[in-house]
Amino acid sequence: MSKVVPVDGVIPMFKDGMHVGFSGFTPAGCPKAVPTALVDYVEKNNLQGKLRFSLFVGASSTASIENRWAQNDMIDRRWPYQTGKDIAKGINTGHIRMGDKHLSLFAQDMGYGFYTKDTPSGKLDIAVIEVSAITENCGLVLTASCGIVPEILKVCDKIILEVNTAMPSFEGMHDVIVQKAPPHREIIGITAADTRVGTTYVPCDPNKIVAIVESELPDQGRALADAEDSSVAIANHLLEFFGAEVKAGRLPKNLLPLQSGVGSIANAVVGGLATGPFYNLSVYTEVLQDGMLDLFDAGRLDSASACSLSLSETGFAHFLEKRDFYQSKIVLRPLAISNNPEVSRRLGVIAMNTPVEFDIYGHANSTLINGTRMVNGIGGSGDFLRSGFLKIMHSPSVRPSKTDPHGISCIVPHAQHIDHTEHDLDVLVTEQGLADLRGLAPRERAQCIIDKCVHPEYKPILQEYYDMAKKECLAKGVGHEPQLWDRALKMQLNLAQNGTMKVKNWDIKVDLCE
């Protein structure tokens, strides 16, 4: 009997409380027909809160689908990353249990069965995987991303395939390795961004496939804001820094493989490289944004490896128009490989990512606002910031605020949540300047960050705090990394209480520096 069914035919396969895995990474490559049919069914039959799932995806999915699922109370647990106003609201009101994890670790831990150890079968109940083709030996040719499909297929009971006929075939673009568990894990033999070591498809057990449905829904492009002046300034600081590193002999003329995070700042940095002095560049990263296509078109970029084509609608149309040109230059790999620390350390990746905030000693927060409100998740930034050759974080010095005309400072005495420690970061950049922290002791780092990165409105405030903390802590013999713990979060508290981070007076009656 044929396993090809209309999309509505798979709805009875889903039961309340199931553990479900999706393909995809960002909107690219995620299933669309089945998730949409499920939420349509819940809405039509008033089943809100009666059909809830634990949902596991490589990272975020299509925000419109995740938001509709959240609006209809269909998500019990969500790992390891998400985007969307409604799903974030569900997480922060305590209705959705969410955990984030370094993405390369999430991928391998899914394959180890860590996320399915409490299910009745010890596996995911069902997986929904978007493909552009199926080979004769049941190899799955994926679409615009790889995500954690190899790991999902290892630990799932049943598989539903969405064959997306609205997308072109991506056959030949993927390079898939299915890793074994320790102690039998193999060396990953990637020695350059364009090295191919695997297959162009993901092996699949045909006995697990319970349905094949057709999808005619294209990926929803990931909109990017236009580059602001601050983003352009950050890009210029980095280009100047790279030039100096080449001149000093610490980088080759074509730099080292670039890793760039998601967002308008990251895209502006990559865009700056398109007009910079560097040629024969390579990229080993998590997602390819529109700026990477600009680098190819400018003749600056030779090859790029990623997990996902996370393009805007315009960018994706441009990719399809010149697909033959990009085909041989882009490799899409599973998340466990694209973000693998073994590979990024071997290649000497230059890691560039954007935090929520960082502090005067170089700790960075990528996940939480006010120390408790989840934004999206840590994503893959930590994978590269712990294993790259150069570990760079870039941020505006201030972010807009409704209650302060100068905005809130992105540099504070102490980060309210720490995702990346001072031990992992080499360079911090804002539109104000670049702080090279390599080889600096903590007190030297603090002064460098204040001098180079802080907005003029906040520089005297942070300088006053640092001088006071240094004086009091050194006098007590506890001054390696001076902090006054009764005042270290005062800027954030002042924002919550008074609508501004501009602290007028750091003094208190009791000093608790120890």
Side-chain angles (χ1 to χ4, degrees), residues 48-96:
Q48 290 83 354
K50 298 179 181 178
L51 201 60
R52 305 186 78 217
F53 306 103
S54 292
L55 183 58
F56 302 91
V57 192
S60 60
S61 185
T62 299
S64 60
I65 292 176
E66 288 206 279
N67 277 334
R68 284 189 68 199
W69 274 43
Q71 290 164 10
N72 286 277
D73 196 9
M74 294 174 62
I75 305 174
D76 175 22
R77 285 202 299 163
R78 178 67 171 91
W79 287 76
Y81 189 91
Q82 48 71 41
T83 55
K85 183 185 299 184
D86 294 294
I87 186 170
K89 180 180 178 181
I91 291 164
N92 286 301
T93 57
H95 200 64
I96 297 173

Side-chain angles (χ1 to χ4, degrees), residues 235 239 260 264-276 290-292 294-295 298:
L239 290 174
S260 180
S264 57
I265 295 177
N267 213 42
V269 171
V270 173
L273 287 166
T275 56
D290 293 19
M292 298 295 184
D294 296 336
L295 279 183

Side-chain angles (χ1 to χ4, degrees), residues 50 106 198 268 285 342 408 494:
K50 298 179 181 178
F106 171 72
T285 191
E342 172 193 338
I408 60 175
N494 205 58

